[in-house]
Amino acid sequence: MAAPTVPRARRTFSIPLSWPLLLPLVLLLACVVGYPLLRTVYLSFTDASLNALGTRPAWVGAQNYLTALTNPDFHATLWHSTYFSVASVGLELVLGVLVALLLNQPFRGRTAARALLILPWAIPTIVNATMWRWIYNPEYGALNALLTQVGLTGTYRSWLGEPGLALNMVVLADVWKNYPLVALITLAALQSVPAEIHEAAALDGAGAWTRFWKLTLPAIAGPLSVAVVLRTIEAFKVFDIIYVMTRGGPADTTKTASFTVYQEAYTYLQAGSGAAYANVMVLVSALLIAAYLWLSRRQGQA
Amino acid sequence: MRRSRLQSLLVYLGALLFAASVLLPVAWMLLSSVMPSTQLTALPLRWWPGTFDWSRYAALLTLEPNTPGQTFLYALRNSAVVALTTTAIALAAGIPAAYALSRFPAGKGGLLATVIATYMLPPVALVLPLYQLLAHLHLLNTVWGLILVYCSLILPFTTWLLKSNFDAVPVEIEESGLIDGLSRTGTMTRLVVPLALPGVTTSAIFAVLLAWDEFFYGLLFTNGLSAKTLPVAIADFTAGRATDYGLIMAAGALAALPPVLIAVALQRGLLAGLTSGGVKG
């Protein structure tokens, strides 16, 4: 008898109910993200050292930031992070789209080929890094052996030992693992373009190139731009693959911003200036994250 | 559309090239792991093992004290414990939160954006205070310390993925549940979660894979057998003075096995998760 009124009563009750549901999330994130982030901001204005955990650090104002922003070594590491991000994501974009276009063609074994995309993606980053480090090994590596035995080159190179080369080789290892994600997203977007539209355009005399620019690209541009920003955020904070493959060397040419923070704080124990470096990274990441949120919201509305 | 013979040929050639580029590096890792040591460092390089040497796998699967095997097996256990426990916590806190974000979005748009931004934050921005926090709580070099810290990474990610999965469950089903006398928490646990179960499973698996892959916090917050995770153990092998690449490749192959098996077995669901839920806000 009272049935019709029950849902109404429950629904008015349900608005405050939604906050208790959120409480565990908010509490946990406040502890492991909110508090640490605020504390890093505080530390960045002090001379805190990991040597003296118990003592109260002295306030130094913007000193750490001034030092960071005028330090050419830090400029270099920011540049390495930027180069790594642009090169990795750029290659991932090109390769991802090409492979997606290929795997969108009907051919025998296509399902198996698509399944292959998931293999590099599933291999842990550290395993990927050690695998490529072994392939790049200057004496016994497969890359040198292959190039010499095929006859492309006569001399062995130290792929990760040459300053001009090392970062590019790390980029390639990173691209191998991560372009499948771009390919998978593109493939999903391609499936939303009906083949009939292509056929109609082809009948009207549009060439393959025109069809790509006028039909395919608009269909994949949205999801692709979201994927690219997501990958850029990931690439900008790169640490693990660098740590295993080069440890920032040779001659600091592969030292990225994350690696610098790690060294400053844990090798030199300078928590204060390490925090300042970290916050500069956060500001750059924040811009990228804002771009991501904006793009994905537009996607959601479309 | 009909293809010319040449176009077909190009497609097959491209597919072959693609398959080779994916498979060859992995094949080389596997082959190196079973090559006799003398062959690994012999010039010119021979591509097929003269004899198959399975001793590295045996060496990694032993608990004898002070062996690489002991390090490896402890790390395997630690990684499994950390990944599974973190996932359980992330689901326990993430499911109600994702439900609230999906069903009562009023006034919570900022919260969802914060959660997503949290996931994307560079870990170096949090690592110093987290280090001090764990030191203070005597949780450095413990699996519980890692589990707590991994929540910063995995909880936002699962909440985000779960929310987009819950969005796909029609509200009408809940309304009929409410009329039948279920409470709001009842409709969540008895209707929405079961209906979104494939998505919940996908979120859980992504959480496990994410935790399995994490390296940075693992490197900084652990240093011994009791909490060191697999990625850290493998990085340590690489840094060792007498580097046995065959052993490292065997360790890599074993560490890659669980995520690869999971990914292959659940391909369909994972692909859907990667291509839709994973990239939308």
Side-chain angles (χ1 to χ4, degrees):
Chain A
M1 267 186 293
T5 60
V6 168
R8 180 165 306 190
R10 286 241 163 84
R11 229 179 279 180
T12 45
F13 178 65
S14 64
I15 304 299
L17 180 73
S18 72
W19 285 103
L21 292 176
L22 288 163
L23 197 66
L25 169 93
V26 172
L27 271 181
L28 256 172
L29 289 187
C31 290
V32 291
V33 182
Y35 161 77
L37 191 61
L38 291 176
R39 176 111 187 127
T40 300
V41 173
Y42 163 72
L43 283 176
S44 69
F45 293 105
T46 70
D47 69 348
S49 160
L50 277 191
N51 256 340
L53 269 182
T55 55
R56 209 184 158 78
W59 186 264
V60 296
Q63 189 54 52
N64 289 326
Y65 288 94
L66 290 176
T67 317
L69 293 174
T70 54
N71 180 358
D73 289 345
F74 185 56
H75 295 170
T77 62
L78 278 178
W79 164 244
H80 296 151
S81 288
T82 308
Y83 180 88
F84 180 86
S85 309
V86 173
S88 285
V89 178
L91 277 174
E92 283 161 28
L93 181 66
V94 172
L95 261 180
V97 171
L98 281 178
V99 167
L101 288 172
L102 175 76
L103 297 183
N104 200 39
Q105 301 289 318
F107 63 89
R108 227 177 300 161
R110 178 171 78 161
T111 318
R114 283 185 182 176
L116 272 187
L117 276 177
I118 212 158
L119 181 63
W121 174 82
I123 289 180
T125 310
I126 293 301
V127 175
N128 180 53
T130 47
M131 179 178 86
W132 284 97
R133 195 177 129 152
W134 172 229
I135 291 171
Y136 291 154
N137 186 288
E139 292 151 281
Y140 313 115
L143 183 59
N144 274 327
L146 183 73
L147 291 178
T148 340
Q149 289 181 16
V150 171
L152 283 174
T153 152
T155 49
Y156 274 28
R157 298 189 74 165
S158 178
W159 300 103
L160 296 172
E162 294 175 26
L165 201 58
L167 192 55
N168 291 312
M169 299 317 283
V170 179
V171 164
L172 287 184
D174 185 70
V175 168
W176 184 85
K177 175 171 160 56
N178 288 314
Y179 88 84
L181 183 69
V182 180
L184 286 167
I185 290 165
T186 313
L187 209 46
L190 282 175
Q191 260 134 50
S192 67
V193 191
E196 295 81 45
I197 294 183
H198 271 274
E199 289 181 19
L203 281 177
D204 288 346
W209 193 243
T210 318
R211 291 203 307 274
F212 176 76
W213 281 107
K214 297 271 156 130
L215 293 174
T216 311
L217 204 59
I220 61 175
L224 210 54
S225 59
V226 172
V228 163
V229 183
L230 193 66
R231 282 294 315 138
T232 310
I233 294 169
E234 291 285 320
F236 189 70
K237 56 186 186 187
V238 65
F239 175 83
D240 31 22
I241 192 169
I242 302 277
Y243 181 90
V244 168
M245 291 187 82
T246 62
R247 299 260 167 133
D252 288 349
T253 49
T254 61
K255 214 164 124 177
T256 57
S258 283
F259 203 86
T260 306
V261 181
Y262 159 78
Q263 269 194 334
E264 188 73 10
Y266 288 90
T267 313
Y268 312 130
L269 304 172
Q270 297 300 315
S273 59
Y277 289 158
N279 282 337
V280 175
M281 272 193 78
V282 171
L283 288 180
V284 178
S285 300
L287 290 177
L288 292 168
I289 294 167
Y292 173 85
L293 290 172
W294 183 74
L295 276 171
S296 61
R297 190 158 303 171
R298 267 192 10 164
Q299 280 292 296
Q301 281 163 357
Chain B
M1 239 175 289
R2 300 217 39 159
R3 286 194 308 232
S4 69
R5 211 168 256 272
L6 179 73
Q7 279 170 324
S8 282
L9 191 72
L10 282 176
V11 166
Y12 278 99
L13 214 68
L16 211 64
L17 199 69
F18 159 73
S21 75
V22 169
L23 288 174
L24 286 181
V26 183
W28 186 238
M29 171 167 76
L30 295 175
L31 284 176
S32 299
S33 74
V34 292
M35 273 186 189
S37 304
T38 47
Q39 193 189 333
L40 276 180
T41 53
L43 295 173
L45 190 142
R46 284 207 346 259
W47 300 93
W48 195 254
T51 50
F52 283 83
D53 176 2
W54 298 96
S55 66
R56 278 88 165 226
Y57 289 95
L60 285 173
L61 300 174
T62 170
L63 271 172
E64 228 163 292
N66 301 318
T67 57
Q70 192 196 24
T71 311
F72 182 82
L73 286 179
Y74 271 86
L76 186 71
R77 181 204 62 182
N78 295 337
S79 273
V81 168
V82 171
L84 294 175
T85 315
T86 311
T87 302
I89 295 175
L91 287 180
I95 286 176
Y99 179 78
L101 287 169
S102 170
R103 292 308 194 241
F104 314 104
K108 300 188 189 71
L111 185 62
L112 181 67
T114 310
V115 168
I116 296 174
T118 299
Y119 167 68
M120 295 173 175
L121 217 58
V124 285
L126 311 175
V127 75
L128 283 161
L130 284 176
Y131 186 87
Q132 290 177 321
L133 185 73
L134 291 190
H136 187 72
L137 298 170
H138 301 287
L139 285 175
L140 279 178
N141 204 27
T142 66
V143 285
W144 282 106
L146 273 193
I147 289 165
L148 182 69
V149 167
Y150 279 14
C151 283
S152 70
L153 198 71
I154 289 156
L155 180 54
F157 183 77
T158 42
T159 306
W160 175 23
L161 204 56
L162 285 166
K163 189 247 168 202
S164 60
N165 276 299
F166 289 165
D167 283 348
V169 178
V171 185
E172 291 73 32
I173 292 172
E174 270 177 280
E175 281 171 354
S176 58
L178 287 172
I179 291 169
D180 288 345
L182 278 175
S183 65
R184 263 297 175 182
T185 42
T187 61
M188 177 179 86
T189 53
R190 295 204 197 167
L191 295 176
V192 179
V193 172
L195 283 170
L197 201 60
V200 174
T201 315
T202 308
S203 307
I205 284 158
F206 272 114
V208 171
L209 295 181
L210 211 57
W212 195 264
D213 201 24
E214 206 288 331
F215 176 68
F216 186 63
Y217 292 133
L219 176 74
L220 292 173
F221 298 153
T222 66
N223 59 25
L225 289 179
S226 60
K228 196 187 277 183
T229 57
L230 263 187
V232 183
I234 290 172
D236 282 356
F237 285 160
T238 322
R241 234 175 298 153
T243 311
D244 177 355
Y245 263 98
L247 185 77
I248 298 168
M249 290 304 114
L254 288 177
L257 201 60
V260 168
L261 285 182
I262 290 172
V264 170
L266 302 169
Q267 219 197 100
R268 231 164 249 276
L270 283 182
L271 290 183
L274 277 171
T275 51
S276 64
V279 293
K280 284 203 180 132

